[in-house]
Amino acid sequence: MADEAFAPAVQIEHVNRVGWIILNRPGQINAINPALRREASEALVRLDADPEVGAIVIRGAGERGFCAGADIKSQNDAASLPALRADMTPGWIEILDQVRKPVIAAVHGYCLGGGLEIAMACDIRMAAPNAVFGLPETGLGLIPGGGGTQRLPRIVGLGPALDLLLSGDRIDAAEALRIGLVSRLSASGDSLIDEAQALAERIAARPSAASAYVKEAARDGFEMDLRAGLKLEKDLFVLLMSTEDRREAAAAFREKRPPAFTGR
Ligand code: CO8
């Protein structure tokens, strides 16, 4: 294994219009330290701005898992409260929230604490059969600090969310699928990357403005009352009517040929 001390905490790969963000501290099950936070933020901003990237996938390096949460060993007990608050600001989860492109979490093995919070901030969660999910924070005398108390109830409903938050119990991939925490399981651990790549490629091949707007309508609309959400949807729908890709899709349908989208 390469010397982790000198390896980047996050790796970026490009495969056919898909940008991969690989959390790369496998010896610590990709636990989140300041370097990983900083590099992941930079990677997200870079891939979101890259016109050659149509979708983003986040995964963990190594065999043990996606991410075992905040790096417990590097936590600084002596930090002042303002420093602690600044450090706690989960900047890259906020950045993840602002990304316009579709983001998929491809989860294998442990996905705990801050790791699950990262996955929950993604648009789609795909899990390998060996994935294990949990929010152990209360057992550490804490509560989730990267959106877990807010996103989990929104994704699975308040009852199952409070169960996971209060018990700290871990659930497996089949249970995560059952409660809606993930929406897809890969056929095997070995096929997770290929299946996530195939899904991301299919999404990346679609008109980029439509993907960005449908994400905005669903995510932002979810925080609004129905009337405001419907208004947002209508506004974005009208905007899309003027895009070249919308015209190209209709022309390709009429001419019985595959569309050639340009992102305009
Ligand atoms: N931090 C630092 N190192 C870790 C972490 C972690 N969270 N998890 C695992 N490691 C390290 C272990 O110390 C060990 O290193 P070493 O070999 O040097 O001793 C290595 O990874 C392998 O781990 P284990 O030997 O413990 O492997 P096991 O198979 O016995 O257990 C577990 C695996 C169950 C995942 C276990 O390691 C564990 O319980 N880890 C801690 C999980 C946890 O409590 N996570 C929540 C942290 S709190 C949190 O995430 C709050 C988020 C706040 C906001 C974040 C915004 C992004």
Side-chain angles (χ1 to χ4, degrees), residues 234-251:
K234 190 169 288 175
D235 290 346
L236 295 174
F237 182 93
V238 169
L239 279 178
L240 286 169
M241 289 301 284
S242 64
T243 62
E244 283 180 24
D245 280 348
R246 204 276 307 159
R247 280 191 285 274
E248 166 62 9

Side-chain angles (χ1 to χ4, degrees), residues 88 90 93 117 120-121 135 144-154 165:
M88 261 304 298
I93 293 195
E117 292 178 295
M120 287 194 291
L135 290 169
T149 62
Q150 304 305 302
R151 288 199 181 89
L152 188 61
R154 283 166 168 78
L165 287 161

Side-chain angles (χ1 to χ4, degrees), residues 27-29 31-32 64 68-73 88 90 92-93 110 112-114 117 136-137 140 145-146 170:
Q28 287 76 38
I29 319 181
I32 304 161
R64 306 298 311 281
D71 190 320
I72 301 171
K73 289 188 217 159
M88 261 304 298
W92 76 290
I93 293 195
Y110 289 112
L112 302 175
E117 292 178 295
E137 282 89 342
L140 295 166
R170 297 185 200 143

Side-chain angles (χ1 to χ4, degrees), residues 15-65:
V15 188
N16 297 338
R17 291 190 46 75
V18 177
W20 283 79
I21 294 179
I22 303 165
L23 312 179
N24 187 41
R25 303 184 68 223
Q28 287 76 38
I29 319 181
N30 305 311
I32 304 161
N33 69 352
L36 187 139
R37 260 201 316 249
R38 188 184 60 252
E39 292 175 32
S41 303
E42 289 164 5
L44 280 169
V45 170
R46 212 166 104 192
L47 292 178
D48 201 29
D50 186 340
E52 299 305 315
V53 169
I56 298 167
V57 187
I58 302 178
R59 72 171 172 90
E63 310 219 315
R64 306 298 311 281

Side-chain angles (χ1 to χ4, degrees), residues 109-129:
Y110 289 112
C111 180
L112 302 175
L116 178 50
E117 292 178 295
I118 292 162
M120 287 194 291
C122 296
D123 302 311
I124 297 176
R125 283 162 293 284
M126 178 186 280

